[in-house]
Amino acid sequence: MKTHFLKLSALALSIIVTAGANAQEKPESPKLFAPSSAFNTWSFGIHAGILAPTVISGMNDFTNWKADIGYGATLKNQILPALGIQADFLAGKLQADNSRNWGNGLPPASAFDSYETKVSYSASLSANLTLANIYWMNRVNVIRPYMTAGYGIMGYKPTMKTSAGVETKFNAGENVKEAYLPVGLGIKFGLSNSINLDMGYTMNFVDGDNLDGYRAGLQNDKFSYSHIGLEFILGSKSKTPLSSYNPVAALQDDYITRNAALQASLDADRAKHAAHMEEMNKERMRFLNDSDKDGVSDYFDKCPNTPVGIQVDGAGCEIKVTSTTTVVNPVRVVVTEEDRRIVAEAIRNLEFDFAKSTLRSTSYPTLNRVADLLKSKDFSLKLAGHTDNVGSDAANLKLSKDRAESVKSYLVSQGVNPSRIEATGYGESQPIATNKTAAGRQDNRRVEFTLY
């Protein structure tokens, strides 16, 4: 037995050295809900170990078992992170004798003194359950315990000997074919992205009482296999093996990544909107400040520092009274179709800087004609500012009011009496089109003129 253990130790050492020489860094895990094509799912393994005609639950029909070398190979397809379908192939030799008494002190009653069974072949198909991918706390599954259970067919040739050395070949030396059930436990160590060190123990329950060539009763025979070997992951080295993929850890990583990206986006938006609101307030104050309190904003006031109580025109300059003529019968105000056309054209051409109340110069020519109309016919004008629904209600209400005031300030700067103009804002409360389309939102961003 000592010789067998030395052989097995040398084999294990050579396996570890070979695997270490091929180790490499693991690639990044695939994205969440990646298809199976993003992983390596096939693997091939070779292994060797100790075959023994006994399992944890008991012996067969001989009292003293002996260990011998077994060897085999596996082919596995990983269909889920925690579940694979595995084909196992095993061969080797089993030995035992009756050199001891049974545990109850009674000597063996067999006519044979020893036996040797050559396991010509055994092939099974098993389910391989990877426990590391069930235990969610394992974020990096370098160490992966597993369980296997399946069904197989094996062929073997028992040879028995009497104490006198007479050999008897069971079944005339031909292979005995029986079904068996393999049940095992093991652990795999990820040596690299493409190589695993595999260590395991399998109990094999034979559907017959002839593995040792001796039928002693109704109890079927069994044998065990303790192995060490290498599993080679087939496929691209840039892909992650599906057996080492942890879906729960991937879900958490995806959540953390998305949350960080969303937080960064929100922080950037807050900073952007804060700067925008500050700029809008500065622009608003340019139109609202009236240092000399004459009713004309400093932005349009061409005669600053006018004394208090002096009547001024739209440019903030003092009105010189040159006549004391009193109009006894004022002309009744009549708004004609031409007047309405001038106002409608001014509405169509009215433009502001984006998200601001600053008038663009393209609006000036048509507004000048409105100013001339107000001055020549002594009309009054109501300005109503409106916006779309983009942004908060408070910001939209403020912007609509500021835009109406901006139009009023410009008309006053052209000589229109400020008392003849009323400016108000309604925000997004009175849309004339849908806010679900760009064209509809464009129509809703407007300043309406009403002559009376």
Side-chain angles (χ1 to χ4, degrees):
M1 182 179 293
K2 183 178 180 181
T3 302
H4 293 321
F5 278 109
L6 288 175
K7 290 180 179 178
L8 191 60
S9 298
L11 176 63
L13 180 61
S14 65
I15 286 174
I16 294 173
V17 170
T18 303
N22 289 279
Q24 62 182 18
E25 293 184 2
K26 290 189 175 183
E28 284 188 28
S29 292
K31 293 182 180 180
L32 190 64
F33 305 122
S36 59
S37 59
F39 301 89
N40 287 327
T41 58
W42 285 93
S43 62
F44 171 75
I46 55 174
H47 50 76
I50 297 174
L51 275 173
T54 180
V55 296
I56 296 174
S57 62
M59 294 279 294
N60 289 330
D61 303 321
F62 287 73
T63 61
N64 183 41
W65 64 272
K66 298 179 180 181
D68 214 314
I69 295 294
Y71 53 91
T74 62
L75 181 64
K76 186 179 71 170
N77 181 24
Q78 197 75 25
I79 57 177
L80 295 173
L83 179 63
I85 302 299
Q86 176 175 303
D88 290 279
F89 308 92
L90 177 64
K93 188 169 59 176
L94 297 167
Q95 297 184 74
D97 60 34
N98 281 324
S99 59
R100 297 179 182 177
N101 291 337
W102 291 107
N104 56 10
L106 296 175
S110 173
F112 301 104
D113 183 63
S114 65
Y115 82 93
E116 179 181 294
T117 296
K118 179 183 178 182
V119 179
S120 303
Y121 65 88
S122 67
S124 64
L125 194 64
S126 302
N128 185 303
L129 190 63
T130 306
L131 302 179
N133 284 337
I134 298 174
Y135 182 46
W136 64 270
M137 291 183 66
N138 285 342
R139 297 185 58 79
V140 180
N141 295 321
V142 175
I143 300 176
R144 299 189 289 276
Y146 65 87
M147 298 174 58
T148 60
Y151 179 85
I153 300 294
M154 63 184 301
Y156 50 88
K157 298 177 180 180
T159 300
M160 296 79 69
K161 282 186 180 182
T162 65
S163 58
V166 179
E167 289 188 356
T168 300
K169 294 185 180 296
F170 187 83
N171 198 33
E174 297 295 325
N175 269 327
V176 179
K177 298 178 181 179
E178 296 284 3
Y180 74 103
L181 302 176
V183 178
L185 290 170
I187 187 168
K188 292 181 182 179
F189 300 88
L191 301 178
S192 74
N193 185 46
S194 56
I195 301 177
N196 296 322
L197 178 65
D198 182 14
M199 301 173 66
Y201 174 79
T202 306
M203 297 183 295
N204 302 277
F205 300 92
V206 182
D207 187 22
D209 186 25
N210 53 22
L211 183 64
D212 51 16
Y214 178 66
R215 293 189 173 94
L218 298 177
Q219 183 177 357
N220 290 342
D221 289 336
K222 55 266 184 187
F223 67 98
S224 63
Y225 178 53
S226 303
H227 73 269
I228 183 170
L230 289 178
E231 180 184 37
F232 301 93
I233 308 299
L234 304 178
S236 172
K237 292 184 178 181
S238 63
K239 293 183 179 181
T240 297
L242 185 57
S243 59
S244 65
Y245 180 66
N246 190 328
V248 178
L251 182 63
Q252 184 182 23
D253 288 342
D254 182 77
Y255 168 77
I256 292 173
T257 301
R258 289 175 182 267
N259 185 64
L262 179 59
Q263 187 61 51
S265 177
L266 290 174
D267 291 342
D269 285 344
R270 290 192 187 101
K272 177 182 176 182
H273 291 316
H276 179 61
M277 290 300 296
E278 183 178 357
E279 184 180 349
M280 287 181 62
N281 284 331
K282 289 180 180 179
E283 192 70 23
R284 174 173 173 268
M285 294 308 297
R286 291 175 60 198
F287 291 96
L288 296 184
N289 287 341
D290 183 8
S291 301
D292 54 9
K293 309 301 180 185
D294 60 358
V296 179
S297 71
D298 293 345
Y299 186 80
F300 295 111
D301 199 338
K302 297 179 180 179
C303 299
N305 303 318
T306 303
V308 177
I310 298 298
Q311 187 175 6
V312 296
D313 59 17
C317 297
E318 181 181 358
I319 296 176
K320 303 295 184 178
V321 181
T322 57
S323 175
T324 58
T325 304
T326 302
V327 178
V328 178
N329 296 313
V331 178
R332 187 170 68 89
V333 174
V334 177
V335 180
T336 66
E337 289 299 322
E338 178 62 18
D339 298 335
R340 292 191 180 92
R341 187 192 64 78
I342 292 174
V343 171
E345 185 178 2
I347 293 174
R348 285 195 303 272
N349 292 336
L350 197 61
E351 292 185 359
F352 297 90
D353 287 346
F354 178 73
K356 297 181 180 179
S357 59
T358 306
L359 272 171
R360 291 182 179 175
S361 59
T362 53
S363 306
Y364 293 166
T366 51
L367 285 178
N368 289 341
R369 288 194 286 273
V370 173
D372 293 340
L373 181 66
L374 295 177
K375 290 186 292 184
S376 64
K377 293 195 175 184
D378 205 24
F379 287 154
S380 291
L381 178 67
K382 180 178 180 180
L383 302 172
H386 302 271
T387 68
D388 57 25
N389 67 345
V390 177
S392 66
D393 293 348
N396 286 335
L397 184 62
K398 177 179 177 300
L399 180 61
S400 64
K401 172 66 174 175
D402 290 348
R403 285 182 170 178
E405 289 287 353
S406 179
V407 175
K408 175 181 177 179
S409 296
Y410 181 80
L411 293 174
V412 170
S413 72
Q414 301 303 307
V416 179
N417 189 338
S419 64
R420 288 290 189 177
I421 303 175
E422 176 188 357
T424 187
Y426 294 97
E428 60 186 72
S429 64
Q430 297 181 9
I432 59 173
T434 178
N435 279 309
K436 295 182 179 179
T437 64
R441 291 191 294 272
Q442 175 67 34
D443 291 341
N444 289 333
R445 296 191 294 268
R446 67 196 191 279
V447 175
E448 295 179 341
F449 295 15
T450 304
L451 284 174
Y452 60 94

